[in-house]
Amino acid sequence: MNRTAVIVIAILLVYVPIANAFATDNSPTWQQPSHTLTDILNRPNAPNISIMSKQNKLLSRRVEHFTPLEWLALEVARYGEIEIYAESRSKPRASYFSEISIADISDFDTSISYQRLNLPPNSAFGGEMYSHNQEAFLMFEYRSDKMVLWHVDTATLETKILMEGGLTQTMGNEAIWLPDNESVLINLIPDDIEKPEKASPVPTAPVVQETTGNTSNIRTFPNLLRNQEEEKLFEYYASSQLAILNTKTGQVQKISKSGVIQSRSLSPDGRFVLIREIVPPYSYSLPYFYFPAKSYVYEIATAKVFELANHPTRDLKVGWVPTGKRSIQWHPFEQSTLVYATALDGGNPDKKVTYRDELRALSFPFRGEGKSFCKTENRFTGIYFIDKDSYIYYDRVWENEDEYTYIVNKKGKKHLLHKEGRGQVYDLLGSAVSYPMPNGQDALLVIDESIYFIGDGLTETGRKPFIDKLSLDAFEKERLIELDDPDFYINIQNFYGKDTSKAVISKQNKYTPPNTSIIDIATKNTLLQLTENKDMVPEITNLQRRVIRYEREDGVQLSGVLYLPQNYDGTKRLPLLMSAYPREFADSSIASQSRHTENRYVRPFGSQNIYMCLDDIAVLENASFPVIGTLEDVNKTYLEQTISNAKAAIDYLDSQGIIDPDKVVIQGYSYGAFMVLNLLAHCDLFAGGIAQNGAYNRTLTPFGFQSERRTLWEAREDYLRLSPFLFVNQIEKPLLLIHSMADQNTGTFPLQSRRLFEAMLGNGKVCRFVQLPLEGHHYRAKESHLQVLSEFEAFFTKYIK
């Protein structure tokens, strides 16, 4: 048996630690960092606003960015990768609104005056759903045992409860307004399904799975179904009953039959509902969104069902798509016409064909295959309609992930608008401006036979946000406005409604939070200032901040944002905390592109690295860590390029006399944590590392990770070489290892960190392992964030300073 085979077998064995081998920290309470950090974290956030231009209203919400621990402690049902609070049937939330106010902005010459809605205090709200005429909106109140559906009249500001309990968000977050602006489509908890009784602990049969001999690439998903009991629980929590609720009378009309409704959408005339329903047999190897399903159209008035397609289990190789109808949606300019894509290559991305996909339109009564109206050279990824016969569509090349944007006008003339390389941030087309039509369907905004694009305007020489106007006849482009203010970072959000003479923008700089205003496009003058947010964290904004640019040894241009203490005078070298997240690129020119700027306002949320700067530590945020190569071979040089990225940053800051190169700590989250362990194991550039919620043993993600398309069996040497778990014996510097205990992210199971810690322990390495109870992949409780910051402080105090 060769040495490689021995390694593979060893790492797949179950490791059983020696009893009482772990030293534990028996701290009785959550820990907090220094008073300054805790105080900053506790300060209120700027309100969140949205504009209802049809009614000239401005809605402002007080946002709470932390989830109370008692919420996290509520029972969550996780079966087949659904995630829902078991009792209330609401989705776990990272933020919510506690207060909501509305102001009238119809008179641009009058100062804005808000009126708070009459809602119960200390409650949690979210998910506003506006009627198409914006005369009303709905929102959910989240309680521990149920959801409450509220109705708000935007003219009178009258609030009322429409439903208390009985609602579910398992598969659908929102209520959908019908064209009459009075009724809404909602998801109810079915009356005809009962919670399964707890199964006997005595098994009645084995759990049996069987392969078919077909090849498939199965990513490592969490919370998959394991047995028949969990199948029943999946059905219990995932099933819903569609119903139409009249917001005036409160009358509820149930429609269709209950089932595991994965998605539903209304036809433009409100006559039909397009439904995708998950059906058995369920997979124990895949999450619910790959389960078998059927698509059909339900007619509300007659209860007739029109079958569209049966979708088998999506047990496909990476890059393949299913044959048959997919991406089914309503045509927004037809009353009862569906649009869908179908593969012309058998779903095989490697097959050489002239056209890879075809788009077809299928009208009532939805029989047959419909009418072809477009064929795409590459894999179809999306479409936006301009009118009945005009549209923009997107397709992507499988080999390198280049994406193309095409426009087709009424005459059938096709024009390439843009080609975008993987990871490109310079010279982008921008986003096409869309608007909700009176029937609720989204379409591109058309004025004077032209459509519009709003973009960042980021180029190699700077950033100038813009609005472009594109003629639908000649495809000629005109720049309506370009904002170039060196003192501010500006975002153009949208037009003010459909008024193309006015734009809504936000402005910010290092010392001023984002503030929103309405400007005149022709003169660029401010017509109405919507917010007056003030700096709430001067300790952070007064830090020295600069974008640094430096070069890798092979000539690739890199960058990052460097933070230094406010009083730093350059007379001493500082410890450095460097954070990064590796990103793959096809070529060095795109890898060298940078979004970094000094003009954005920084308000840390949660346990961000920048706080360490208040403790006389230099912080390099978002350091460029490109890994360049084709998607088939990029990981062959991952280690070499990652080490080169790190060395370039350290060498540059060392040459400037800013840092002590012997006191550099590398930090990363998720895929960045994987990077941290590889750097600690394969180079001596760092004095320590902080790894959060990562994956460290690539044999546990054998069907690919990040953009890696090859399997473990196709690229055995690369998988082993990139598994820092196998090289723990080479780590000589201390590690702070943090992982949330309910991490639901694909691949980053808590087991990854537990096994890594055991390996560090068994090899006599220095490691502190912190597990955050109740948390998912991203931390939500304030207690968790404060604990993490206290761990950062203690790590630097003990090992670095």
Side-chain angles (χ1 to χ4, degrees):
M1 184 180 291
N2 62 40
R3 183 171 179 271
T4 301
V6 171
I7 292 175
V8 173
I9 292 173
I11 58 183
L12 293 178
L13 292 176
V14 176
Y15 175 71
V16 182
I18 299 173
N20 301 319
F22 301 103
T24 58
D25 182 350
N26 293 315
S27 303
T29 61
W30 291 90
Q31 302 301 298
Q32 295 193 2
S34 65
H35 172 74
T36 300
L37 270 59
T38 302
D39 176 60
I40 294 174
L41 204 70
N42 283 326
R43 292 176 193 169
N45 302 287
N48 179 285
I49 68 165
S50 60
I51 299 171
M52 294 174 281
S53 58
K54 291 180 181 178
Q55 298 295 324
N56 293 309
K57 300 288 185 179
L58 184 65
L59 189 146
S60 176
R61 319 164 191 83
R62 177 179 172 179
V63 184
E64 307 294 342
H65 280 303
F66 298 110
T67 302
L69 272 177
E70 54 266 29
W71 284 18
L72 295 184
L74 294 173
E75 181 187 355
V76 177
R78 296 184 177 95
Y79 302 104
E81 214 174 78
I82 64 167
E83 187 174 24
I84 199 79
Y85 283 123
E87 189 168 2
S88 69
R89 300 293 178 91
S90 64
K91 285 189 176 295
R93 300 181 61 82
S95 63
Y96 59 93
F97 314 136
S98 57
E99 293 178 5
I100 304 177
S101 303
I102 296 181
D104 189 299
I105 54 173
S106 54
D107 187 350
F108 280 22
D109 295 325
T110 304
S111 60
I112 295 174
S113 178
Y114 283 102
Q115 183 174 342
R116 186 183 297 180
L117 297 183
N118 182 23
L119 298 169
N122 303 317
S123 297
F125 296 92
E128 304 106 291
M129 298 148 286
Y130 300 94
S131 62
H132 310 315
N133 57 17
Q134 295 182 350
E135 291 181 0
F137 66 88
L138 308 178
M139 60 184 179
F140 290 113
E141 178 191 354
Y142 301 104
R143 300 181 186 175
S144 61
D145 60 340
K146 60 188 172 185
M147 286 186 295
V148 179
L149 184 62
W150 286 79
H151 178 279
V152 180
D153 185 303
T154 56
T156 65
L157 305 191
E158 178 187 349
T159 62
K160 65 179 181 180
I161 291 177
L162 293 178
M163 291 192 70
E164 283 199 65
L167 299 152
T168 175
Q169 285 185 329
T170 306
M171 294 290 185
N173 284 331
E174 298 182 340
I176 303 175
W177 286 87
L178 271 66
D180 64 6
N181 289 296
E182 183 174 304
S183 303
V184 291
L185 181 67
I186 57 175
N187 284 31
L188 300 178
I189 300 171
D191 295 329
D192 58 356
I193 187 168
E194 296 183 359
K195 186 173 183 179
E197 295 183 4
K198 188 173 179 61
S200 167
V202 179
T204 58
V207 176
V208 178
Q209 294 178 262
E210 185 176 358
T211 65
T212 61
N214 294 325
T215 302
S216 65
N217 284 9
I218 303 172
R219 292 278 181 159
T220 313
F221 295 100
N223 306 316
L224 299 178
L225 300 180
R226 297 174 296 179
N227 51 49
Q228 289 184 347
E229 180 185 7
E230 291 195 352
E231 285 191 49
K232 294 176 182 178
L233 287 167
F234 167 76
E235 284 192 338
Y236 173 71
Y237 286 110
S239 292
S240 62
Q241 168 68 63
L242 297 182
I244 294 177
L245 168 66
N246 187 296
T247 62
K248 304 292 185 183
T249 66
Q251 180 182 358
V252 175
Q253 173 195 354
K254 295 179 182 179
I255 64 170
S256 190
K257 60 181 179 60
S258 64
V260 183
I261 308 300
Q262 185 179 2
S263 64
R264 71 278 190 270
S265 61
L266 282 164
S267 61
D269 56 6
R271 177 182 170 187
F272 301 100
V273 185
L274 170 63
I275 298 172
R276 182 183 174 103
E277 180 182 351
I278 293 172
V279 295
Y282 307 133
S283 171
Y284 289 8
S285 303
L286 295 165
Y288 74 87
F289 38 87
Y290 290 155
F291 287 0
K294 60 181 180 180
S295 294
Y296 55 93
V297 172
Y298 178 86
E299 188 172 22
I300 296 173
T302 67
K304 289 182 180 178
V305 174
F306 303 86
E307 302 288 347
L308 294 175
N310 291 311
H311 311 285
T313 302
R314 284 196 60 185
D315 190 5
L316 300 172
K317 292 181 65 175
V318 174
W320 287 57
V321 298
T323 56
K325 297 181 179 71
R326 74 176 202 277
S327 303
I328 308 173
Q329 62 188 75
W330 292 108
H331 192 309
F333 290 94
E334 299 279 6
Q335 293 302 311
S336 52
T337 296
L338 295 165
V339 174
Y340 70 90
T342 185
L344 299 176
D345 57 4
N348 180 357
D350 299 319
K351 187 176 181 179
K352 303 302 180 183
V353 293
T354 303
Y355 295 105
R356 198 159 294 282
D357 276 335
E358 183 176 35
L359 303 181
R360 305 183 71 88
L362 179 64
S363 299
F364 177 80
F366 315 113
R367 297 193 185 101
E369 302 304 312
K371 180 182 178 182
S372 172
F373 67 91
C374 180
K375 292 182 179 180
T376 68
E377 291 86 349
N378 306 301
R379 185 66 70 210
F380 167 76
T381 58
I383 188 169
Y384 285 100
F385 283 92
I386 301 168
D387 53 37
K388 181 178 179 293
D389 301 308
S390 308
Y391 50 90
I392 288 177
Y393 77 87
Y394 307 85
D395 67 18
R396 180 177 294 132
V397 179
W398 160 249
E399 289 81 7
N400 57 18
E401 292 190 348
D402 284 349
E403 185 167 79
Y404 293 82
T405 304
Y406 294 95
I407 184 170
V408 179
N409 66 13
K410 292 179 181 178
K411 300 175 182 178
K413 184 179 178 181
K414 176 179 170 181
H415 176 70
L416 175 63
L417 284 177
H418 186 65
K419 174 190 174 184
E420 184 175 321
R422 179 164 52 100
Q424 180 178 337
V425 296
Y426 290 168
D427 305 309
L428 298 181
L429 173 65
S431 299
V433 178
S434 63
Y435 76 103
M437 296 195 297
N439 60 18
Q441 301 290 318
D442 278 339
L444 296 189
L445 177 65
V446 181
I447 305 289
D448 299 329
E449 291 300 309
S450 298
I451 59 173
Y452 302 84
F453 293 87
I454 297 177
D456 256 356
L458 189 62
T459 68
E460 187 175 4
T461 59
R463 182 180 179 276
K464 298 178 182 179
F466 64 84
I467 301 178
D468 281 345
K469 179 180 181 180
L470 180 76
S471 163
L472 292 175
D473 181 35
F475 303 129
E476 294 176 348
K477 191 181 293 184
E478 173 191 354
R479 183 140 295 183
L480 293 185
I481 187 172
E482 186 175 80
L483 300 176
D484 182 17
D485 188 334
D487 296 326
F488 284 92
Y489 185 94
I490 302 175
N491 275 325
I492 302 176
Q493 297 178 1
N494 212 330
F495 291 119
Y496 182 66
K498 296 171 66 175
D499 187 346
T500 56
S501 70
K502 300 181 181 70
V504 180
I505 70 168
S506 69
K507 295 177 66 173
Q508 61 182 296
N509 62 19
K510 179 179 177 180
Y511 301 101
T512 309
N515 278 299
T516 304
S517 60
I518 301 172
I519 66 167
D520 181 280
I521 288 178
T523 65
K524 301 182 183 179
N525 293 330
T526 299
L527 300 175
L528 180 64
Q529 188 72 35
L530 298 178
T531 62
E532 296 284 353
N533 298 322
K534 306 298 182 184
D535 181 16
M536 294 294 293
V537 288
E539 299 91 338
I540 301 298
T541 52
N542 286 328
L543 295 173
Q544 298 182 43
R545 181 181 5 157
R546 65 188 76 161
V547 174
I548 61 170
R549 304 185 188 279
Y550 48 99
E551 188 174 292
R552 204 166 78 176
E553 58 188 359
D554 59 0
V556 176
Q557 300 299 307
L558 307 177
S559 62
V561 183
L562 178 67
Y563 294 88
L564 298 169
Q566 179 181 355
N567 58 357
Y568 177 72
D569 59 7
T571 59
K572 67 174 183 178
R573 291 176 176 265
L574 300 173
L576 174 69
L577 175 58
M578 179 195 304
S579 74
Y581 189 95
R583 299 187 185 278
E584 295 93 348
F585 297 90
D587 60 67
S588 58
S589 63
I590 294 181
S592 296
Q593 297 179 5
S594 172
R595 288 188 179 275
H596 293 136
T597 177
E598 298 175 3
N599 256 355
R600 299 192 75 167
Y601 178 78
V602 175
R603 169 68 193 272
F605 166 70
S607 46
Q608 294 186 10
N609 293 349
I610 189 175
Y611 281 113
M612 294 300 101
C613 206
L614 300 177
D615 202 16
D616 287 330
I617 297 167
V619 175
L620 179 59
E621 282 280 81
N622 298 316
S624 298
F625 266 63
V627 184
I628 303 168
T630 69
L631 287 169
E632 295 301 322
D633 65 13
V634 66
N635 278 327
K636 291 183 181 298
T637 57
Y638 173 91
L639 288 177
E640 294 80 2
Q641 293 193 59
T642 302
I643 293 170
S644 183
N645 293 329
K647 187 175 185 301
I650 293 171
D651 286 351
Y652 173 78
L653 294 173
D654 182 23
S655 70
Q656 300 299 304
I658 296 173
I659 66 165
D660 182 340
D662 295 325
K663 295 183 177 181
V664 180
V665 172
I666 182 69
Q667 181 271 338
Y669 201 108
S670 194
Y671 196 54
F674 164 75
M675 170 204 71
V676 167
L677 266 296
N678 269 310
L679 287 171
L680 291 183
H682 295 288
C683 74
D684 60 359
L685 295 171
F686 297 98
I690 302 174
Q692 299 172 255
N693 286 61
Y696 313 106
N697 182 347
R698 285 304 169 198
T699 69
L700 299 180
T701 56
F703 289 97
F705 56 92
Q706 208 67 3
S707 65
E708 177 58 69
R709 293 175 171 178
R710 301 167 299 166
T711 70
L712 167 65
W713 299 274
E714 295 169 328
R716 183 190 304 266
E717 294 300 328
D718 287 338
Y719 271 71
L720 298 182
R721 189 167 50 88
L722 295 182
S723 293
F725 178 85
L726 302 181
F727 300 94
V728 161
N729 61 309
Q730 298 178 185
I731 296 176
E732 301 298 335
K733 300 300 169 55
L735 171 68
L736 173 58
L737 183 64
I738 302 173
H739 211 124
S740 44
M741 297 174 72
D743 189 344
Q744 78 283 28
N745 186 55
T746 301
T748 57
F749 298 156
L751 174 69
Q752 290 269 4
S753 287
R754 292 201 298 268
R755 291 293 183 258
L756 180 69
F757 176 69
E758 292 166 5
M760 294 285 284
L761 170 72
N763 281 274
K765 305 303 178 180
V766 177
C767 179
R768 179 173 171 85
F769 182 26
V770 180
Q771 300 180 73
L772 300 174
L774 308 176
E775 294 284 10
H777 191 60
H778 298 285
Y779 317 147
R780 294 180 291 165
K782 182 183 294 184
E783 290 84 349
S784 298
H785 287 288
L786 291 172
Q787 179 76 39
V788 169
L789 288 176
S790 72
E791 297 291 345
F792 277 37
E793 284 186 331
F795 184 81
F796 270 90
T797 298
K798 186 172 183 178
Y799 297 112
I800 309 303
K801 288 189 172 183

